Amino acid sequence: MPADSHVLHPITRTPAENPLVIPLVVISPVRDESRYLRHTLDSMVAQTWRPMEWILVDDGSSDATPDIVREYAEKHSFIRLVARNDRGFRKLGGGVVAAFDFGKERIRRQDYEYIAKLDGDMSFGPRYLEIMIGRLQSDPKLAAVSGKVYHESGGRFVKERHIEEQVAGQFKLYRRTAFEAIGGFVQHLAWDGIDVHQARLLGWKTLSFLHPDAWLWHHRIMGSSDRNLYVGRLRWGRGNWYMGYHPLYALATGLNRMREKPYVIGGLLMIAGYAYAALRGLPQFEDAHFRRELKKWQLARLARVLRLGGGAR
């Protein structure tokens, strides 16, 4: 069995009895998620620690997504559907964050201490929130946490490759004070990388870690939610340019991703997307200090990886 695949505890979805309600608000931007959304809803209602409020933002669905949410909201008072005007298409990155911000503006309970963005195509075990919040409570300098993300391939669960500091964008759980300190998420494809490095620059820590009772099952391969994986890898490369990646780190990242589906070509497309954006001089994240510090961190990490072996994100 490859090093990045694991035998993990099964995910159960039996509704929890007498869950502990915690000062957490979860916001889920959803658009045409009917295929997998019940998995996410069932996972949440099975939690031993439950959020005080879960806002699902329907971002212009044309399928049964809003009906499914209403069905669960009728049974569980902490679940709420809010509708956003349909822009007419799925807008990756910036559109997801815009929908998240739309939901954030509609939070009813202002006494929350934690805030999370959750995708509508995820499954997770009943102790996931208990373990994540417990980890945040144990370290006051920890800004955000997640479990490790897996998808099913060939009958086994394969881990999506991320460094320890990279909190999974599919279920990003923040301490409220840290989230407000970084100014929230930026409305661009690179939002789930920019936030982590903004937190680091402010002295916070971020962490994704493997726990047998707190892993995440992603029902879609990362980057495949719009059109296909090939377009997704090109888009990922452009996002790396926008974020301010050093060229060597962008190259190393693409080479590292060649080991994932679509093998070889996926990594090449990431490199091509970055190169295209660089040659065209496309816009980058406006904080020049952030970009300089990011490049310094990336070069230091590359030097460390070359000494010890390993891979870039």
Side-chain angles (χ1 to χ4, degrees):
M1 182 175 290
D4 63 350
S5 63
H6 295 268
V7 176
L8 298 165
H9 293 186
I11 289 175
T12 58
R13 300 189 179 91
T14 303
E17 294 184 8
N18 302 315
L20 177 66
V21 178
I22 53 176
L24 163 69
V25 173
V26 178
I27 301 172
S28 293
V30 290
R31 180 184 174 93
D32 295 337
E33 301 284 1
S34 62
R35 182 175 180 183
Y36 303 116
L37 185 56
R38 290 184 185 275
H39 296 306
T40 309
L41 288 156
D42 287 340
S43 294
M44 187 64 81
V45 301
Q47 292 299 293
T48 57
W49 289 19
R50 186 174 291 178
M52 59 169 54
E53 195 171 350
W54 183 16
I55 302 169
L56 292 100
V57 180
D58 178 36
D59 198 22
S61 296
S62 59
D63 65 1
T65 292
D67 296 328
I68 293 171
V69 176
R70 290 189 193 98
E71 174 190 331
Y72 280 76
E74 289 176 0
K75 301 174 184 176
H76 305 281
S77 60
F78 75 100
I79 297 175
R80 183 157 53 96
L81 174 70
V82 298
R84 188 165 180 259
N85 290 335
D86 184 10
R87 76 176 68 86
F89 61 95
R90 179 186 287 270
K91 183 179 180 182
L92 278 294
V96 168
V97 175
F100 174 91
D101 290 343
F102 184 86
K104 185 174 180 293
E105 292 168 359
R106 286 153 180 80
I107 294 173
R108 290 174 176 167
R109 295 285 303 270
Q110 291 301 317
D111 55 337
Y112 65 94
E113 298 175 19
Y114 307 96
I115 186 168
K117 177 262 184 192
L118 169 63
D119 287 354
D121 57 2
M122 306 298 295
S123 288
F124 40 96
R127 294 187 61 228
Y128 184 85
L129 286 178
E130 177 186 344
I131 292 165
M132 292 297 121
I133 296 294
R135 194 61 176 261
L136 284 171
Q137 291 175 338
S138 71
D139 185 351
K141 295 302 292 180
L142 197 55
V145 292
S146 78
K148 291 296 185 181
V149 181
Y150 291 78
H151 64 267
E152 190 172 7
S153 178
R156 65 178 188 272
F157 291 107
V158 178
K159 185 168 65 174
E160 295 184 358
R161 296 177 182 271
H162 288 295
I163 60 175
E164 187 178 71
E165 295 92 339
Q166 183 60 39
V167 177
Q170 298 97 332
F171 198 166
K172 188 160 290 202
L173 175 56
Y174 259 92
R175 188 188 306 275
R176 179 180 181 175
T177 51
F179 187 74
E180 292 177 351
I182 66 170
F185 302 133
V186 300
Q187 293 191 20
H188 195 276
L189 280 171
W191 69 270
D192 65 337
I194 289 173
D195 71 303
V196 167
H197 290 283
Q198 285 177 320
R200 177 180 57 82
L201 287 174
L202 293 176
W204 293 94
K205 296 186 294 184
T206 56
L207 177 68
S208 61
F209 62 98
L210 178 61
H211 187 289
D213 292 323
W215 58 283
L216 295 165
W217 178 5
H218 195 188
H219 292 276
R220 279 192 290 243
I221 296 178
M222 184 170 54
S224 65
S225 61
D226 182 53
R227 299 173 64 182
N228 56 59
L229 269 174
Y230 303 105
V231 173
R233 293 300 185 260
L234 278 170
R235 186 172 56 241
W236 194 343
R238 292 197 300 271
N240 289 345
W241 164 258
Y242 176 83
M243 185 170 165
Y245 270 40
H246 191 285
L248 291 177
Y249 201 83
L251 176 63
T253 301
L255 293 173
N256 187 44
R257 294 290 173 175
M258 289 182 184
R259 295 180 286 174
E260 301 175 353
K261 291 182 178 180
Y263 299 116
V264 183
I265 186 64
L268 289 174
L269 288 170
M270 286 180 65
I271 295 169
Y274 177 92
Y276 173 84
L279 291 171
R280 293 290 301 271
L282 297 184
Q284 291 188 290
F285 186 48
E286 63 273 11
D287 188 337
H289 172 70
F290 172 93
R291 299 199 309 270
R292 287 193 301 270
E293 291 300 315
L294 175 64
K295 289 182 173 67
K296 286 168 57 178
W297 180 88
Q298 289 178 335
L299 288 176
R301 176 171 171 77
L302 279 178
R304 188 165 63 250
V305 167
L306 289 174
R307 289 196 302 270
L308 303 176
R313 177 181 182 269

